[in-house]
Amino acid sequence: MQFPSFHDRQYLAADSVLPTDRLIKAFVLWMIPSWITPNHITLFRMLATPFTVLFLYDKHYAFGIPLFVFVAFTDAVDGALARTRNMITPWGMMFDPLADKFLIIPCLIVLMFSQVNPVLAVAIIALECIIIFLAFLWRKAGHHIQANVWGKIKMFLQVMGVVILLLAARLDSSLLSSIAAGILVGSIAFSIMSILDHGV
């Protein structure tokens, strides 16, 4: 299988523009110049992830939590940018969901030793790895795999769960830890729905 090129400007038609895309367009996208593409933002997320994980690993939550929220928000931004400006590329379709997983999985690994039940963390990580493997097989078979609504909800719940876990660690709150665990359990259900719907 030939991997798509980052510099490929073969734009694909968007399936649909989401209501959240219109909100992000109104409040955020107008600030992004036309020379910045969704792929640039995805690449930024990949490069920023190691620094985010390092801050969280060292428990520098004052920097780590806002940085995690910002980096995670770029997932919504690059998707909205791609759909509203018709800038969806094969590279973005492959690496945008991978960038999400490269952000979430290390953060869960860091937190599983202190805040989250290891069984829950392993279940989420295993499902994400299964999605990566299945997406590779589907692409190798010639199918275009795009993020579906289940995958978007899953990502939102995972980000919310991790943020609440980080706040629980910062505030030493068992109540917040329990709330975060419940949200992450919910994300597992949407991960399974995403797999069944052949999405990422």
Side-chain angles (χ1 to χ4, degrees):
M1 181 183 69
Q2 183 178 1
F3 285 94
S5 169
F6 175 82
H7 300 288
D8 185 9
R9 291 296 178 264
Q10 176 191 351
Y11 295 132
L12 306 174
D15 290 340
S16 61
V17 176
L18 306 175
T20 52
D21 295 338
R22 296 188 179 91
L23 281 175
I24 294 171
K25 180 180 180 180
F27 291 100
V28 178
L29 298 189
W30 62 271
M31 294 184 288
I32 300 177
S34 59
W35 59 268
I36 294 181
T37 69
N39 290 353
H40 289 133
I41 299 174
T42 299
L43 183 60
F44 165 79
R45 186 156 70 258
M46 290 178 169
L47 296 176
T49 290
F51 298 98
T52 305
V53 175
L54 182 61
F55 275 122
L56 298 181
Y57 178 77
D58 287 337
K59 298 184 179 181
H60 293 306
Y61 296 129
F63 298 101
I65 294 176
L67 183 58
F68 175 82
V69 171
F70 177 75
V71 173
F73 182 64
T74 63
D75 172 52
V77 172
D78 62 15
L81 191 67
R83 287 183 290 272
T84 59
R85 295 186 184 178
N86 292 316
M87 301 177 77
I88 296 175
T89 64
W91 189 92
M93 289 171 62
M94 173 174 285
F95 287 97
D96 175 50
L98 283 177
D100 302 339
K101 291 162 181 51
F102 291 156
L103 174 65
I104 292 295
I105 290 175
C107 290
L108 284 174
I109 291 174
V110 168
L111 291 168
M112 68 186 292
F113 295 106
S114 58
Q115 293 297 317
V116 65
N117 186 312
V119 175
L120 176 58
V122 168
I124 294 172
I125 293 169
L127 282 170
E128 293 299 321
C129 291
I130 290 171
I131 290 173
I132 292 172
F133 177 70
L134 290 176
F136 176 80
L137 293 181
W138 290 327
R139 289 185 190 280
K140 190 174 182 180
H143 302 294
H144 283 299
I145 306 299
Q146 287 186 281
N148 55 35
V149 64
W150 312 116
K152 294 178 189 301
I153 296 173
K154 173 205 68 177
M155 178 63 180
F156 175 76
L157 292 176
Q158 286 176 344
V159 169
M160 182 184 294
V162 170
V163 169
I164 295 175
L165 276 177
L166 292 171
L167 291 174
R170 179 71 186 272
L171 302 174
D172 192 23
S173 170
S174 59
L175 175 60
L176 287 178
S177 293
S178 299
I179 293 172
I183 292 172
L184 290 172
V185 167
S187 76
I188 291 177
F190 286 99
S191 291
I192 295 171
M193 300 273 294
S194 179
I195 292 172
L196 295 176
D197 198 27
H198 287 201
V200 292

